[in-house]
């Protein structure tokens, strides 16, 4: 079968819809909500209206059932408008994915359909105050009590944690068992004993709500467990192997925005009697930004294609996430350099691009962890 790099008509339509939404709805308010550190709920409502919220939910449960490549196409566009705002639907897809991977038909009907009927979000709660990269070292306990689990512990850095209607929580039945003791439980908003505390003072992505979640004797039905006891760690890792690809897509969107802003400014700004775009030093910066952007996008598409084909994609996902996020950070940094002193000020959007995309190198597995994954796969081969 020949390789085809063209998008289908449906994919082009989704891209156009997301691009228009980012330009008309997200970009104009991005700076405002970054400064206010508030979630723009009206954007969540509008994403729901146009069908771009929770779109990975299968049609059987009320969603669009889009594939990973479509998710990537949409993600690049929304992140172009604001990486922080894009993180809201991206983190919701992160919370939905373990239910898609390990949930029964009844669980999918019960937890996913309500997320398509109104503007609603999901969340993924794995990290804790004392561990992030060491995901098997969980301290949040899930003690069996008849038909319930009793949850006690704290989760940290949880995107959408305070807004989500559905939270997939990873806990341990016995810390000594490490990954073999992890269980995945779906906790619904408003469950007694669950409290959410918003974290303030983030460097970037400030329009996305990040929370500490505290569980105090939270009773969760066994019927809310995904898979069996001991399968939670595998569910979490399989989820992240998929959802690192949309992080890469967001990074591509930021890199594209950085290149566009830098190119525009280089044509307008004059020095020594001519636009700075005439100087080879600036031209080389723009050329390198373009090389990185195109390479990152192509590899992100490749990782998405592997995922959609049902082929092994953990390695490609790690490469895409690490490479795209680093390329985007470099592009944002160069955009600031091209803007000079103005790039350091809120007046221009490039300083926000740098602050926002730094987190892409950290969440859903730091880029150091991505290199561990890549190296282990290489050594297995």
């Amino acid at each position: 079968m020949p390789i085809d790099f063209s998008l289908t008509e449906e994919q082009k339509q989704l891209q156009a819809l997301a691009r228009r939404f980012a330009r008309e709805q997200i970009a104009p308010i991005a700076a405002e909500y970054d400064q206010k550190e508030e979630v723009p709920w009206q954007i969540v409502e509008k994403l729901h209206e146009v069908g771009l919220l929770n779109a990975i939910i299968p049609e059987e449960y009320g969603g669009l059932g889009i594939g990973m490549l479509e998710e990537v196409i949409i993600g690049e566009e929304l992140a172009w408008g604001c990486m922080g705002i894009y993180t809201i639907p991206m983190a919701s897809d992160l919370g939905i994915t373990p239910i898609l991977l390990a949930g029964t038909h009844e669980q999918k009907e019960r937890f996913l359909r309500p997320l398509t009927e109104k503007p609603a979000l999901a969340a993924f709660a794995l990290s804790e105050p004392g561990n992030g990269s060491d995901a098997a070292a969980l301290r949040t306990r899930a003690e069996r009590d008849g038909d319930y689990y009793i949850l006690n512990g704290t989760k940290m850095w949880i995107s959408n944690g305070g807004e989500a209607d559905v939270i997939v929580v990873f806990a341990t039945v016995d810390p000594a068992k490490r990954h073999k003791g992890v269980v995945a439980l779906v906790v619904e908003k408003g469950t007694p004993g669950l409290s959410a505390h918003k974290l303030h003072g983030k460097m970037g992505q400030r329009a996305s709500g990040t929370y500490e979640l505290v569980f105090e004797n939270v009773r969760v039905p066994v019927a809310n467990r995904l898979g069996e006891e001991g399968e939670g760690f595998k569910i979490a890792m399989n989820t992240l192997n998929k959802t690192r690809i949309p992080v890469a897509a967001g990074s591509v969107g930021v890199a594209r925005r950085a290149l566009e802003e830098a190119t525009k400014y280089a044509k307008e700004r004059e020095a020594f009697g001519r636009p700075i775009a005439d100087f080879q030093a600036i031209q080389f910066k723009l050329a390198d930004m373009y090389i990185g952007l195109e390479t990152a996008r192509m590899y992100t598409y490749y990782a998405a294609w592997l995922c959609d084909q049902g082929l092994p994609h953990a390695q490609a996902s790690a490469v895409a996430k690490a490479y795209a996020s680093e390329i985007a950070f470099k592009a944002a940094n160069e955009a600031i350099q091209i803007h000079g002193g103005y790039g350091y000020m809120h007046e221009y959007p490039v300083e926000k691009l740098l602050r926002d995309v730094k987190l892409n190198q950290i969440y859903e597995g730091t880029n150091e962890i991505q290199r561990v994954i890549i190296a282990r796969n290489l050594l297995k081969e």
Side-chain angles (χ1 to χ4, degrees):
M1 181 178 178
I3 295 175
D4 186 355
F5 290 99
S6 61
L7 302 181
T8 67
E9 284 305 312
E10 291 79 5
Q11 289 167 341
K12 290 177 182 177
Q13 290 171 9
L14 272 177
Q15 184 181 56
L17 172 63
R19 181 167 296 186
R20 185 168 61 252
F21 190 95
R23 291 186 182 277
E24 296 178 0
Q25 304 293 337
I26 296 178
I29 67 165
E32 175 189 353
Y33 281 86
D34 172 69
Q35 292 181 24
K36 293 197 301 187
E37 290 191 72
E38 291 182 9
V39 173
W41 193 255
Q42 73 275 21
I43 294 295
V44 178
E45 293 174 341
K46 290 175 182 176
L47 283 168
H48 172 71
E49 288 176 13
V50 300
L52 296 180
L53 184 66
N54 304 328
I56 66 170
I57 294 176
E59 293 180 17
E60 181 181 2
Y61 305 106
L64 291 183
I66 64 170
M68 182 57 73
L69 183 54
E70 288 77 25
E71 190 176 354
V72 161
I73 290 168
I74 293 169
E76 176 185 336
E77 300 303 329
L78 298 185
W80 177 96
C82 175
M83 185 65 217
I85 292 176
Y86 165 55
T87 292
I88 301 169
M90 185 184 75
S92 190
D93 287 346
L94 172 62
I96 288 167
T97 299
I99 302 175
L100 291 177
L101 289 176
T104 64
H105 171 71
E106 184 276 334
Q107 287 173 328
K108 292 174 184 177
E109 185 69 37
R110 184 154 53 99
F111 297 128
L112 298 184
R113 185 171 294 280
L115 299 181
T116 69
E117 294 175 341
K118 62 178 181 179
L121 302 173
F124 178 92
L126 178 63
S127 294
E128 297 181 354
N131 71 72
S133 297
D134 187 3
L138 300 181
R139 289 292 176 266
T140 298
R141 292 296 298 271
E143 297 184 74
R144 184 72 179 263
D145 180 22
D147 293 332
Y148 290 85
Y149 285 97
I150 310 300
L151 274 179
N152 282 285
T154 302
K155 293 294 181 179
M156 184 64 81
W157 320 118
I158 309 305
S159 299
N160 296 346
E163 292 88 21
D165 283 8
V166 170
I167 307 170
V168 178
V169 180
F170 296 88
T172 180
V173 296
D174 181 358
K177 292 183 177 181
R178 287 186 57 81
H179 66 277
K180 294 181 180 180
V182 179
V183 62
L185 301 172
V186 181
V187 180
E188 297 176 84
K189 187 175 185 179
T191 302
L194 168 61
S195 57
H197 309 280
K198 189 171 184 179
L199 304 177
H200 293 279
K202 292 191 299 180
M203 174 181 174
Q205 299 202 17
R206 291 149 58 96
S208 164
T210 306
Y211 292 82
E212 175 190 56
L213 300 180
V214 179
F215 300 86
E216 297 177 297
N217 295 319
V218 175
R219 294 177 65 83
V220 183
V222 173
N224 287 24
R225 185 185 66 206
L226 302 175
E228 302 296 327
E229 275 191 15
E231 293 183 351
F233 185 80
K234 180 180 179 181
I235 293 169
M237 294 304 103
N238 287 340
T239 294
L240 293 172
N241 285 339
K242 288 175 67 72
T243 58
R244 287 176 179 131
I245 303 172
V247 175
S251 300
V252 171
V254 173
R256 193 182 100 215
R257 179 71 177 275
L259 176 58
E260 290 178 9
E261 295 291 343
T263 302
K264 177 183 176 184
Y265 187 82
K267 290 179 178 179
E268 297 171 350
R269 175 74 175 188
E270 291 192 357
F272 308 104
R274 52 181 171 153
I276 62 172
D278 287 354
F279 296 103
Q280 192 177 68
I282 301 298
Q283 292 173 0
F284 278 13
K285 288 182 184 294
L286 296 176
D288 285 342
M289 290 164 72
Y290 180 79
I291 291 168
L293 166 63
E294 291 297 314
T295 307
R297 180 189 288 120
M298 194 59 63
Y299 201 88
T300 300
Y301 277 23
Y302 172 63
W305 178 82
L306 287 174
C307 183
D308 284 337
Q309 298 301 312
L311 298 171
H313 57 271
Q315 179 89 321
S317 175
V319 173
K321 191 268 188 189
Y323 183 75
S325 61
E326 290 170 7
I327 282 296
F329 185 82
K330 183 178 179 181
N333 192 44
E334 290 286 38
I336 291 174
Q337 193 70 19
I338 289 171
H339 279 71
Y342 288 108
Y344 203 66
M345 303 299 292
H346 289 312
E347 180 182 352
Y348 288 84
V350 289
E351 61 85 28
K352 178 179 175 298
L353 297 180
L354 186 75
R355 289 189 291 107
D356 280 351
V357 84
K358 178 59 191 176
L359 187 53
N360 291 30
Q361 296 176 304
I362 298 171
Y363 62 11
E364 296 205 35
T366 65
N367 283 0
E368 289 74 20
I369 290 296
Q370 305 315 307
R371 285 172 168 80
V372 169
I373 293 170
I374 293 164
R376 284 178 177 172
N377 283 331
L378 289 173
L379 293 171
K380 281 180 184 177
E381 294 173 2

